[in-house]
Amino acid sequence: MLKKNLGSFRDPAGQIYEVNGRIIRIIKKNGVDRYNFIKQNNLLNDCIEKGFIVSTKDVTEELKSLYPNQEYKYFLEHEAIDYISYPFEWGFYQLKDAALFHLNFQLFLLNRDAILIDSSAYNIQFKNNKPIFIDLLSIDKYREGDYWKGHSQFLQQFLNPLLLKSLKGIDFNNWYKGNLNGIDTIDLNNLLNLKDKLSFNILLSVSLLAKLDNTNKKDPNKALEKIKNKKLLSKGSYKSMLLQLKNWIETLKPKINKTTWDNYSSNNTYKKDELFKKQKIVNEFCKIHKPYLLADIGCNDGLYSIESLNAGARKVIGFDIDLNTINKAYLKSKEKKLPFTPFYLDAMNPTANTGWFENERKSFNSRLNFDCLIALAFEHHLSLANNVPLNQVIKWLLNIAPKGLIEFVDKEDNTVKKMLALKGDIFPDYNQNNFEVLLSEKSKIIKKTIITKTRVLYEFSKS
């Protein structure tokens, strides 16, 4: 049965469906010319071979008779991405790599007389630590004189968030999550000081465009007249614009602000033998279960994610609230070429169903597809630091995967004492015995390992 992806509605040329777990793109009547262009001269195959587009095959013969409809002209099957993410869940270097990938893809297409008709960051996903393009119908034929239709969108969804962090040290994620179109150029320009605006790149891509946007808002008729009289853009000028942006973005680095968890994996409250004990437990767990997709909640810089991979996990998706550690984990994954992808997650304010009809972008909970979980030194941050009842914390964690490891941290732990120093102990039900009772009510405790006097690691299974 065809199940439509509710986030796929913007392009009338074709939409995404699921068929028995398969990702199917249906090309409709008004998308035929575009698809035929993409197929010709081996363009589609070249895009796939060069690693720009997810693997795609034509399954029209197989599915057309099963789903007869005059509007349905082609059926394409795309490679399924293990975990769908959104740009506001990426760290700085992930968004930077996605921006450079987008520009490189455009340059590749221009050399084949093709263009991208938009610049949506949502058209890019991550396979491990590499960006990949998923929207085949965003490709169209280049026509002499074409200008970059997605220029403004690229600025809002790629460049402006990067500049916000690079110039002002402000993380873009929550702002971006609150405005799915990205960060408006006028808003960014209002944050920049005179020194920032002395840069030629800033003047060209932020200040002048912000001024133009303001003018267009005041006099839309004049703006429309300018568009009608706009000079044609040569292919050489088009490429130069892309290259200028690419060269600039390559130089961008995040303005770092010190965070609580920056060096936690090497500077924490437990000793090396305790660290090795936890690594050993994670190793043994993954050797036994060999998870295909494991969630590491509170992954920090990826220490236990990498241990999981070494022990037999096929792929790991890490989650953490600290963006500095997310950046470190991502760069480590890239350097070592690991099947490990870290993402930003604030468990107290995770991604919700949002966008058009509150269905366009899916919530964290609705995207869960993990077979195993590790949550080490995590639950007390919800229960004690954020006042979430212990039973709800356990329920939330068990919802992520059917089996895994959860570490319980007692009130006598030094880290917890610091948490409670100002608010006091207002949590009478927070204790190891109650944790075990609650965990047992919703799952089976397979194994219990004492790490220290104040830390215990539990293996659970819901099956």
Side-chain angles (χ1 to χ4, degrees):
M1 180 179 176
L2 284 175
K3 180 183 177 184
K4 187 173 181 179
N5 184 311
L6 296 178
S8 175
F9 63 87
R10 293 181 181 273
D11 189 350
Q15 277 89 43
I16 294 291
Y17 294 80
E18 287 186 30
V19 179
N20 299 323
R22 299 162 68 186
I23 307 300
I24 305 297
R25 183 183 299 274
I26 295 179
I27 309 293
K28 297 184 178 179
K29 188 175 181 179
N30 56 349
V32 169
D33 289 344
R34 204 186 308 171
Y35 176 57
N36 285 338
F37 166 73
I38 296 168
K39 282 198 307 179
Q40 73 184 30
N41 300 323
N42 221 34
L43 177 58
L44 176 57
N45 287 337
D46 284 352
C47 288
I48 294 170
E49 288 177 9
K50 295 290 184 180
F52 284 115
I53 290 184
V54 288
S55 296
T56 302
K57 61 181 179 180
D58 194 320
V59 290
T60 304
E61 288 188 15
E62 175 193 351
L63 298 180
K64 193 171 181 64
S65 60
L66 296 176
Y67 304 101
N69 187 314
Q70 289 187 346
E71 278 292 304
Y72 298 170
K73 299 303 180 182
Y74 291 100
F75 293 76
L76 309 178
E77 181 173 3
H78 294 307
E79 171 191 3
I81 301 297
D82 290 314
Y83 185 82
I84 296 295
S85 64
Y86 303 129
F88 47 82
E89 298 170 331
W90 303 343
F92 179 91
Y93 288 107
Q94 285 167 301
L95 185 62
K96 176 179 175 177
D97 281 355
L100 293 172
F101 174 88
H102 178 95
L103 295 172
N104 283 329
F105 190 25
Q106 285 230 59
L107 289 165
F108 170 83
L109 290 172
L110 272 175
N111 287 330
R112 304 293 301 268
D113 289 325
I115 56 168
L116 291 176
I117 60 176
D118 62 63
S119 298
S120 173
Y122 298 91
N123 286 340
I124 294 176
Q125 289 297 318
F126 278 85
K127 284 181 62 179
N128 303 327
N129 46 57
K130 294 182 179 179
I132 191 81
F133 200 80
I134 61 171
D135 188 5
L136 177 138
L137 285 178
S138 284
I139 302 172
D140 201 358
K141 184 177 181 179
Y142 169 79
R143 293 166 180 83
E144 190 63 38
D146 272 351
Y147 62 94
W148 186 5
K149 298 180 180 71
H151 184 207
S152 178
Q153 189 177 38
F154 181 87
L155 299 181
Q156 290 181 43
Q157 297 194 8
F158 289 105
L159 181 63
N160 292 350
L162 291 173
L163 291 176
L164 185 68
K165 180 62 176 176
S166 183
L167 295 174
K168 313 311 293 182
I170 300 173
D171 292 317
F172 56 80
N173 304 77
N174 289 334
W175 188 338
Y176 205 148
K177 185 164 69 170
N179 177 12
L180 298 181
N181 289 325
I183 295 175
D184 192 87
T185 301
I186 293 174
D187 290 338
L188 176 64
N189 187 62
N190 288 338
L191 287 174
L192 302 182
N193 57 35
L194 180 59
K195 182 180 177 182
D196 297 325
K197 295 177 181 179
L198 291 177
S199 160
F200 175 76
N201 285 322
I202 295 294
L203 177 68
L204 192 65
S205 293
V206 181
S207 299
L208 290 179
L209 288 177
K211 184 177 180 181
L212 182 62
D213 284 348
N214 271 321
T215 302
N216 292 343
K217 286 179 181 179
K218 291 176 182 177
D219 192 347
N221 291 327
K222 188 176 180 180
L224 184 62
E225 192 64 31
K226 282 184 178 180
I227 291 172
K228 289 178 180 178
N229 297 326
K230 195 168 186 177
K231 292 181 180 179
L232 297 178
L233 185 70
S234 69
K235 185 187 279 190
S237 297
Y238 199 146
K239 285 183 179 179
S240 294
M241 185 190 306
L242 297 173
L243 286 169
Q244 180 269 330
L245 273 171
K246 178 185 172 183
N247 292 336
W248 180 22
I249 290 172
E250 283 176 340
T251 68
L252 296 180
K253 294 180 180 179
K255 186 175 181 180
I256 300 296
N257 298 312
K258 185 70 177 174
T259 61
T260 305
W261 311 107
D262 262 351
N263 302 307
Y264 185 72
S265 65
S266 58
N267 182 20
N268 47 57
T269 57
Y270 45 87
K271 299 175 183 177
K272 282 188 177 181
D273 60 330
E274 297 161 8
L275 173 71
F276 294 148
K277 190 181 287 188
K278 288 166 75 169
Q279 284 182 294
K280 184 180 179 183
I281 295 168
V282 170
N283 188 290
E284 290 173 350
F285 175 82
C286 289
K287 276 183 177 176
I288 293 170
H289 298 288
K290 299 189 184 306
Y292 174 78
L293 193 62
L294 179 141
D296 184 355
I297 306 296
C299 67
N300 200 259
D301 62 3
L303 177 67
Y304 297 106
S305 296
I306 295 172
E307 186 65 39
S308 301
L309 293 170
N310 291 338
R314 289 278 301 280
K315 299 182 180 183
V316 178
I317 305 295
F319 298 96
D320 207 286
I321 194 172
D322 190 299
L323 283 155
N324 286 359
T325 64
I326 290 294
N327 284 328
K328 289 179 183 178
Y330 175 69
L331 293 177
K332 187 183 295 185
S333 177
K334 275 184 65 178
E335 179 188 354
K336 298 186 177 183
K337 298 180 180 179
L338 300 173
F340 163 50
T341 319
F343 294 117
Y344 169 72
L345 170 69
D346 178 356
M348 295 302 298
N349 184 28
T351 300
N353 288 322
T354 189
W356 172 244
F357 238 89
E358 298 177 33
N359 280 317
E360 189 176 1
R361 308 299 170 200
K362 293 183 178 180
S363 70
F364 171 75
N365 280 334
S366 63
R367 285 176 285 153
L368 296 174
N369 60 340
F370 301 102
D371 42 5
C372 286
L373 154 83
I374 57 174
L376 308 183
F378 177 81
E379 55 78 28
H380 59 295
H381 292 286
L382 296 184
S383 289
L384 302 180
N386 288 287
N387 294 30
V388 180
L390 189 56
N391 66 322
Q392 291 188 31
V393 173
I394 291 172
K395 181 180 179 181
W396 186 81
L397 286 169
L398 296 188
N399 186 53
I400 293 173
K403 59 185 67 174
L405 300 169
I406 301 175
E407 181 178 4
F408 175 80
V409 183
D410 191 77
K411 288 179 186 176
E412 294 304 310
D413 189 86
N414 288 334
T415 300
V416 172
K417 285 182 177 180
K418 292 176 183 177
M419 284 183 179
L420 300 178
L422 293 177
K423 66 169 60 178
D425 185 358
I426 59 174
F427 308 98
D429 296 329
Y430 185 90
N431 57 68
Q432 185 180 343
N433 182 64
N434 195 34
F435 178 86
E436 291 183 4
V437 170
L438 294 170
L439 185 60
S440 298
E441 287 177 355
K442 296 177 173 60
S443 69
K444 181 179 179 181
I445 296 176
I446 305 299
K447 191 177 179 181
K448 169 182 170 181
T449 306
I450 296 173
I451 305 299
T452 69
K453 290 181 180 180
T454 60
R455 293 174 181 252
V456 184
L457 199 51
Y458 292 86
E459 179 182 342
F460 73 88
S461 176
K462 292 198 293 184
S463 56

